Coordinates of all heavy atoms in Angstrom, one line a residue:
M1 N 22.7 -2.1 -0.3 CA 21.5 -2.2 0.5 C 21.4 -3.6 1.0 O 21.5 -4.6 0.2 CB 20.3 -1.9 -0.4 CG 19.1 -2.0 0.2 SD 17.7 -1.6 -0.9 CE 18.0 0.2 -1.3
P2 N 21.1 -3.7 2.3 CA 20.9 -5.1 2.9 C 19.8 -5.9 2.2 O 18.8 -5.3 1.8 CB 20.7 -4.8 4.3 CG 21.2 -3.3 4.6 CD 21.0 -2.7 3.3
A3 N 19.9 -7.2 2.1 CA 18.8 -7.9 1.5 C 17.6 -7.8 2.1 O 16.6 -7.6 1.5 CB 19.3 -9.3 1.3
H4 N 17.6 -7.8 3.4 CA 16.3 -7.7 4.1 C 15.7 -6.4 3.9 O 14.4 -6.2 3.9 CB 16.4 -8.0 5.6 CG 17.1 -7.0 6.4 ND1 18.5 -7.0 6.4 CD2 16.7 -5.9 7.1 CE1 18.9 -6.0 7.1 NE2 17.9 -5.3 7.6
A5 N 16.4 -5.3 3.8 CA 15.9 -4.0 3.5 C 15.2 -3.9 2.1 O 14.3 -3.4 1.9 CB 17.0 -2.9 3.7
K6 N 15.9 -4.6 1.2 CA 15.4 -4.5 -0.1 C 14.2 -5.3 -0.3 O 13.2 -4.8 -0.9 CB 16.6 -5.2 -1.1 CG 16.1 -5.2 -2.5 CD 17.4 -5.5 -3.4 CE 17.0 -5.4 -4.9 NZ 18.1 -6.0 -5.8
K7 N 14.0 -6.3 0.6 CA 12.9 -7.1 0.5 C 11.7 -6.3 1.0 O 10.5 -6.2 0.5 CB 12.9 -8.5 1.3 CG 11.8 -9.4 1.1 CD 12.1 -10.7 1.9 CE 11.0 -11.7 1.8 NZ 11.3 -12.9 2.4
L8 N 12.0 -5.5 2.1 CA 10.9 -4.7 2.6 C 10.5 -3.6 1.6 O 9.3 -3.3 1.6 CB 11.4 -4.0 3.9 CG 11.3 -4.7 5.2 CD1 12.0 -3.9 6.3 CD2 9.9 -5.0 5.6
L9 N 11.4 -3.2 1.0 CA 11.1 -2.0 0.0 C 10.2 -2.7 -1.2 O 9.3 -1.9 -1.7 CB 12.4 -1.5 -0.7 CG 13.2 -0.6 0.1 CD1 14.5 -0.2 -0.6 CD2 12.5 0.7 0.5
L10 N 10.4 -3.9 -1.5 CA 9.7 -4.6 -2.6 C 8.3 -5.1 -2.2 O 7.6 -5.5 -3.0 CB 10.5 -5.6 -3.2 CG 11.8 -5.3 -3.8 CD1 12.6 -6.4 -4.4 CD2 11.7 -4.3 -5.0
A11 N 8.1 -5.1 -0.9 CA 6.7 -5.6 -0.5 C 5.9 -4.3 0.0 O 6.4 -3.3 0.3 CB 6.9 -6.5 0.8
N12 N 4.5 -4.6 -0.1 CA 3.6 -3.7 0.6 C 3.6 -2.3 -0.1 O 3.8 -1.3 0.6 CB 3.8 -3.4 2.1 CG 3.7 -4.8 2.8 OD1 2.8 -5.7 2.4 ND2 4.5 -5.1 3.8
V13 N 3.7 -2.4 -1.4 CA 3.6 -1.1 -2.2 C 2.2 -0.9 -2.6 O 1.4 -1.9 -3.0 CB 4.5 -1.2 -3.4 CG1 4.4 0.0 -4.3 CG2 6.0 -1.6 -3.0
W14 N 1.8 0.3 -2.4 CA 0.4 0.7 -2.7 C 0.2 0.9 -4.3 O 0.9 1.7 -4.8 CB 0.0 2.0 -1.9 CG -1.5 2.3 -2.3 CD1 -2.0 3.2 -3.2 CD2 -2.6 1.6 -1.7 NE1 -3.3 3.2 -3.1 CE2 -3.8 2.3 -2.2 CE3 -2.9 0.5 -0.9 CZ2 -5.1 1.9 -2.0 CZ3 -4.1 0.4 -0.5 CH2 -5.2 0.9 -1.1
G15 N -0.5 0.2 -4.9 CA -0.8 0.2 -6.4 C -1.8 1.2 -6.7 O -3.0 0.9 -6.2
V16 N -1.6 2.3 -7.2 CA -2.6 3.3 -7.5 C -3.7 2.8 -8.4 O -4.9 3.0 -8.1 CB -1.9 4.6 -8.1 CG1 -3.1 5.7 -8.5 CG2 -1.0 5.2 -7.0
Q17 N -3.3 2.1 -9.4 CA -4.4 1.6 -10.3 C -5.0 0.4 -9.8 O -6.4 0.2 -10.1 CB -3.6 1.1 -11.6 CG -2.9 2.4 -12.3 CD -2.5 2.0 -13.7 OE1 -3.1 1.6 -14.6 NE2 -1.2 2.5 -13.9
C18 N -4.3 -0.5 -9.1 CA -5.0 -1.6 -8.4 C -5.8 -1.3 -7.3 O -6.7 -1.9 -6.8 CB -4.0 -2.6 -8.0 SG -3.1 -3.4 -9.4
R19 N -5.5 -0.2 -6.5 CA -6.1 0.1 -5.4 C -5.9 -0.9 -4.3 O -6.9 -1.3 -3.6 CB -7.6 0.5 -5.6 CG -7.7 1.8 -6.4 CD -9.0 2.2 -6.5 NE -9.3 3.4 -7.5 CZ -8.8 4.7 -7.2 NH1 -8.5 5.0 -6.0 NH2 -9.0 5.6 -8.0
Q20 N -4.8 -1.6 -4.2 CA -4.5 -2.4 -3.2 C -3.0 -2.6 -3.1 O -2.4 -2.1 -3.9 CB -5.2 -3.9 -3.6 CG -4.4 -4.5 -4.8 CD -5.0 -5.8 -5.2 OE1 -5.9 -6.3 -4.6 NE2 -4.5 -6.3 -6.3
E21 N -2.6 -3.3 -2.0 CA -1.2 -3.4 -2.0 C -0.7 -4.5 -2.9 O -1.3 -5.5 -3.1 CB -0.8 -3.9 -0.6 CG -1.0 -2.7 0.5 CD -0.5 -3.1 1.8 OE1 0.0 -4.3 2.0 OE2 -0.2 -2.2 2.7
V22 N 0.4 -4.2 -3.6 CA 0.9 -5.0 -4.7 C 2.3 -5.2 -4.4 O 3.0 -4.6 -3.6 CB 0.6 -4.3 -6.1 CG1 -0.9 -4.1 -6.3 CG2 1.3 -3.0 -6.1
T23 N 2.8 -6.2 -5.2 CA 4.2 -6.5 -5.2 C 4.8 -6.0 -6.5 O 4.2 -6.2 -7.6 CB 4.5 -8.0 -5.1 OG1 3.9 -8.6 -4.0 CG2 6.1 -8.3 -5.1
I24 N 5.9 -5.3 -6.4 CA 6.5 -4.7 -7.6 C 7.5 -5.7 -8.3 O 8.1 -6.5 -7.5 CB 7.1 -3.4 -7.4 CG1 8.2 -3.4 -6.4 CG2 6.0 -2.3 -6.9 CD1 9.0 -2.3 -6.1
T25 N 7.8 -5.6 -9.5 CA 8.5 -6.5 -10.1 C 9.9 -5.8 -10.5 O 10.8 -6.6 -10.8 CB 7.9 -6.9 -11.4 OG1 7.5 -5.9 -12.3 CG2 6.6 -7.7 -11.1
D26 N 9.9 -4.6 -10.7 CA 11.1 -3.9 -11.2 C 11.2 -2.6 -10.7 O 10.1 -2.0 -10.5 CB 11.2 -4.0 -12.7 CG 12.6 -3.6 -13.2 OD1 13.5 -3.7 -12.4 OD2 12.7 -3.3 -14.5
F27 N 12.3 -2.0 -10.5 CA 12.3 -0.6 -10.0 C 13.7 0.0 -10.4 O 14.8 -0.7 -10.6 CB 12.0 -0.4 -8.5 CG 13.1 -1.0 -7.6 CD1 14.2 -0.1 -7.2 CD2 13.2 -2.3 -7.1 CE1 15.2 -0.5 -6.4 CE2 14.2 -2.8 -6.3 CZ 15.3 -1.8 -5.9
A28 N 13.7 1.2 -10.6 CA 14.9 2.0 -10.7 C 14.9 3.1 -9.8 O 13.8 3.8 -9.4 CB 14.9 2.6 -12.1
G29 N 16.0 3.4 -9.1 CA 16.0 4.4 -8.1 C 16.9 5.5 -8.5 O 17.9 5.3 -9.0
T30 N 16.4 6.7 -8.1 CA 17.2 7.9 -8.4 C 17.1 8.6 -7.1 O 16.1 8.7 -6.4 CB 16.8 8.7 -9.6 OG1 15.4 9.0 -9.4 CG2 16.9 7.9 -10.8
V31 N 18.2 9.4 -6.9 CA 18.2 10.2 -5.6 C 17.7 11.6 -6.0 O 18.3 12.3 -6.8 CB 19.6 10.2 -5.1 CG1 19.6 11.2 -3.7 CG2 19.9 8.8 -4.5
V32 N 16.7 12.2 -5.3 CA 16.2 13.5 -5.6 C 16.2 14.3 -4.2 O 15.5 13.9 -3.3 CB 14.9 13.4 -6.2 CG1 14.2 14.8 -6.3 CG2 14.7 12.6 -7.3
R33 N 17.0 15.2 -4.2 CA 17.2 16.2 -3.1 C 17.3 15.3 -1.9 O 16.8 15.5 -0.7 CB 15.9 17.1 -2.9 CG 15.8 18.1 -4.0 CD 14.7 19.0 -3.7 NE 13.4 18.4 -3.6 CZ 12.6 18.3 -4.7 NH1 13.1 18.7 -5.9 NH2 11.4 17.8 -4.6
G34 N 18.2 14.3 -1.9 CA 18.7 13.5 -0.8 C 17.7 12.4 -0.4 O 18.0 11.5 0.4
D35 N 16.6 12.3 -1.2 CA 15.7 11.2 -0.8 C 15.7 10.2 -2.1 O 16.1 10.7 -3.3 CB 14.2 11.6 -0.7 CG 14.1 12.4 0.6 OD1 14.8 12.1 1.5 OD2 13.3 13.3 0.6
L36 N 15.5 8.9 -1.9 CA 15.5 7.9 -2.8 C 14.1 7.9 -3.6 O 13.2 7.6 -2.9 CB 15.9 6.6 -2.3 CG 15.9 5.4 -3.4 CD1 17.0 5.8 -4.4 CD2 16.3 4.1 -2.6
L37 N 14.0 8.2 -4.9 CA 12.7 8.1 -5.6 C 12.8 6.8 -6.5 O 13.6 6.5 -7.2 CB 12.7 9.2 -6.5 CG 11.5 9.1 -7.6 CD1 10.2 9.2 -6.7 CD2 11.6 10.3 -8.6
L38 N 11.8 5.9 -6.1 CA 11.7 4.6 -6.8 C 10.7 4.7 -7.7 O 9.5 5.1 -7.4 CB 11.4 3.5 -5.7 CG 12.6 3.2 -4.6 CD1 12.1 2.2 -3.6 CD2 13.8 2.9 -5.2
Q39 N 11.0 4.3 -8.9 CA 9.9 4.2 -10.0 C 9.8 2.7 -10.3 O 10.8 2.0 -10.7 CB 10.4 5.0 -11.2 CG 10.4 6.6 -10.9 CD 10.9 7.3 -12.0 OE1 12.0 7.3 -12.4 NE2 10.1 8.2 -12.6
E40 N 8.7 2.2 -10.2 CA 8.4 0.8 -10.1 C 7.5 0.4 -11.0 O 6.7 1.2 -11.4 CB 8.1 0.4 -8.7 CG 9.2 0.8 -7.7 CD 8.7 1.0 -6.2 OE1 7.4 0.9 -6.1 OE2 9.4 0.9 -5.3
E41 N 7.3 -0.9 -11.2 CA 6.3 -1.5 -12.1 C 5.4 -2.5 -11.2 O 6.0 -3.4 -10.6 CB 6.9 -2.1 -13.3 CG 5.9 -2.7 -14.3 CD 6.5 -3.2 -15.5 OE1 7.0 -4.3 -15.5 OE2 6.7 -2.5 -16.5
C42 N 4.2 -2.3 -11.2 CA 3.2 -3.2 -10.5 C 3.2 -4.5 -11.2 O 3.0 -4.6 -12.3 CB 1.9 -2.5 -10.4 SG 0.6 -3.5 -9.7
S43 N 3.3 -5.5 -10.3 CA 3.2 -6.9 -10.9 C 1.9 -7.3 -11.3 O 1.5 -8.3 -12.0 CB 3.8 -7.9 -9.9 OG 3.0 -7.9 -8.6
E44 N 0.8 -6.6 -10.8 CA -0.6 -7.0 -11.1 C -1.0 -6.3 -12.4 O -1.7 -7.0 -13.3 CB -1.5 -6.4 -9.9 CG -1.1 -7.1 -8.6 CD -1.3 -8.6 -8.6 OE1 -2.3 -9.0 -9.2 OE2 -0.5 -9.3 -7.9
C45 N -0.8 -5.0 -12.6 CA -1.5 -4.4 -13.7 C -0.3 -3.8 -14.7 O -0.7 -3.2 -15.7 CB -2.3 -3.4 -13.2 SG -1.6 -1.9 -12.4
L46 N 0.9 -3.9 -14.2 CA 2.0 -3.4 -14.9 C 2.1 -1.8 -15.0 O 2.6 -1.3 -15.9 CB 2.2 -4.0 -16.4 CG 2.2 -5.6 -16.3 CD1 2.4 -5.9 -17.8 CD2 3.4 -6.1 -15.5
G47 N 1.3 -1.3 -14.0 CA 1.2 0.2 -14.1 C 2.4 0.8 -13.3 O 3.2 0.0 -12.7
D48 N 2.6 2.0 -13.5 CA 3.7 2.7 -12.8 C 3.3 2.9 -11.3 O 2.3 3.3 -11.1 CB 3.9 4.0 -13.4 CG 4.5 3.8 -14.9 OD1 5.2 2.8 -15.2 OD2 4.3 4.7 -15.7
V49 N 4.3 2.6 -10.5 CA 4.2 2.9 -9.0 C 5.5 3.7 -8.7 O 6.5 3.3 -8.9 CB 4.2 1.6 -8.1 CG1 4.1 1.9 -6.8 CG2 2.9 0.7 -8.7
A50 N 5.2 4.8 -8.2 CA 6.4 5.6 -7.7 C 6.2 6.1 -6.3 O 5.2 6.3 -5.7 CB 6.5 6.9 -8.5
R51 N 7.3 6.1 -5.4 CA 7.4 6.5 -4.1 C 8.7 7.1 -3.7 O 9.6 6.7 -4.4 CB 6.8 5.3 -3.4 CG 7.8 4.1 -3.3 CD 7.3 3.2 -2.3 NE 8.0 1.9 -2.5 CZ 8.2 0.9 -1.6 NH1 7.5 1.0 -0.4 NH2 8.7 -0.3 -1.9
V52 N 8.7 7.7 -2.6 CA 9.8 8.4 -2.3 C 10.3 7.7 -0.9 O 9.4 7.5 0.0 CB 9.7 10.0 -2.0 CG1 11.0 10.6 -1.4 CG2 9.3 10.5 -3.3
I53 N 11.5 7.3 -0.8 CA 12.0 6.8 0.5 C 13.1 7.7 1.1 O 13.9 8.2 0.4 CB 12.8 5.4 0.1 CG1 12.0 4.4 -0.6 CG2 13.3 4.8 1.5 CD1 10.8 4.0 0.1
E54 N 12.7 8.2 2.2 CA 13.5 9.2 3.0 C 14.7 8.5 3.3 O 14.7 7.5 4.1 CB 12.7 9.9 4.1 CG 11.5 10.8 3.6 CD 11.0 11.7 4.7 OE1 11.5 11.4 5.8 OE2 10.0 12.2 4.5
M55 N 15.8 9.1 3.1 CA 17.1 8.5 3.5 C 17.7 9.4 4.5 O 18.3 10.4 4.3 CB 18.0 8.4 2.3 CG 17.6 7.3 1.4 SD 18.8 6.9 0.3 CE 19.2 8.3 -0.6
K56 N 17.5 9.2 5.7 CA 17.9 9.9 6.9 C 19.4 9.4 7.3 O 19.5 8.1 7.6 CB 17.1 9.8 8.1 CG 15.7 10.3 7.8 CD 15.6 11.8 7.4 CE 14.1 12.3 7.2 NZ 14.0 13.6 7.0
Ligands
ZN1 ZN1 -1.3 -2.4 -10.2

């Protein structure tokens, strides 16, 4: 993954618990039905953040 794309992925994540955009600190990606599912940790509240990145 290109560094700039990775940086984009790590920024502007909606934190469900924070109810604001947060920066994530760690993530693990798994591919689910062709899409990338990221399971992440919010840097603000350490809550779980999950989202799906469509890989076209
Ligand atoms: Zn949070």
